[in-house]
Amino acid sequence: MSTEPDFDVVVVGGGPSGATAAHDLTMQGHKVMLLDKAGRIKPCGGAVPPRLLKDFDIPESLLVAHAKSARIIAPSNTKVNMPCGDGYVGMVDRDQFDEWLRTRASEAGATRVTGKCEDVLDRPDGLATVAYRTDRNAKLTTVTARCVIGADGARSRVAQQCIPNGENVKCVFAYHEIVKVPEDNTADYEPDRCDVYYQGHLSPDFYAWVFPHGKTASIGLGSANKGFPLRETTKLMREQTGFSKWETIRKEGAPIPLKPLKRWDNGRNVLVAGDAAGVVAPSSGEGIYYAMYAGRMSADAVNQFLVTGNAKALRGARKAFMKAHGRVFWILGVMQYFWYSSDKRRERFVKMCDDPDVQRLTWEAYMNKELVRRDPMAHIRIFIKDTAHLLGLRPAKA
């Protein structure tokens, strides 16, 4: 390359994916800039599997709650409890969790800059120019880099500018309210239980939730229907569940992608990760673990590109991610398509969740982040029961 760049890599976006990529690349000896907007907290239930702590060296002190079960609520208000057994679902507050990840990247040596990316431009010498503003009224600042990682969310400016069809991302629009749990709580709420509502009036194509966060809770819902009244329905849900008088601390909303992009790189010097790459699990909406995994795969691919100079190495990020999780994403997508399409099917889906085989394999897959293959007969039993429920050959209610 004819010109010495300001940085080896500029990472745009400081959420779990971008902060993980910035940290990993810095630890690999590269000069990294982490560019992130100030003050934004993504709406998120905050659920993480125990494996995340191990894989990404996260201290357990960042968990604000340990959920020991999930309660699934059907349209008829039938409730199915799914205990986690010996495991748990960790809960994090995104304002604290994301900041910890950014701080770790900075302490490892990444240059942290607060600002908003305006443009990513390709230069004739092979470098990329990133233009950003530190605030709305600030002058445009530019830096150059050998590679750019766009981890700037579902409506990624980097993806829209640089990745083929990067603007065509199917999303669920999520909204939640963080509320303070009163000490004298008398509502139907447990600090170690996640409640998931599969009710069409709360979400016509996704679900609503109440997740414990220690002294606070996340109450929210999502829908791919742009016209669906998220705020009004959340208010209705709080009234329905007895949480209407709980103090609201903050309100947040954002689009969440539910399908990985078919391509993550531009073939030259740009790669996307996290929500920008579409790596949120269909059906469940789980994104933190997958975002961090995508961030790590992106860091590995960019490191290979920087070492070899071969831009084909950037393709490795998506290839590695889909090899590890593509099949799970496909299965979850099919589940969402079939079971979330009507209240009749939601009722049958909740009934199916009462099955011991379903519960055991669901939790094992969640904790381990891979499909459980050691019990083929359980999979066969689930397939038969699943087909019977779908065809209406089994009663929806007990």
Side-chain angles (χ1 to χ4, degrees), residues 117-131 140 142-145 148 161-162 266 268-270:
C117 176
E118 298 289 350
D119 287 296
V120 178
L121 305 173
D122 201 10
R123 292 168 35 133
D125 59 3
L127 300 181
T129 296
V130 177
L140 203 64
T142 60
V143 293
T144 56
V148 174
Q161 287 190 320
C162 305
N266 70 345
R268 296 183 300 281
N269 50 20
V270 176

Side-chain angles (χ1 to χ4, degrees), residues 26 48 54 56 59 84 105 112 129-130 151 182 210 259 303 356 380:
T26 301
V48 298
K54 177 182 178 182
F56 299 99
C84 299
R112 183 175 172 183
T129 296
V130 177
V210 178
K259 188 174 183 180
N303 175 64
I380 293 173

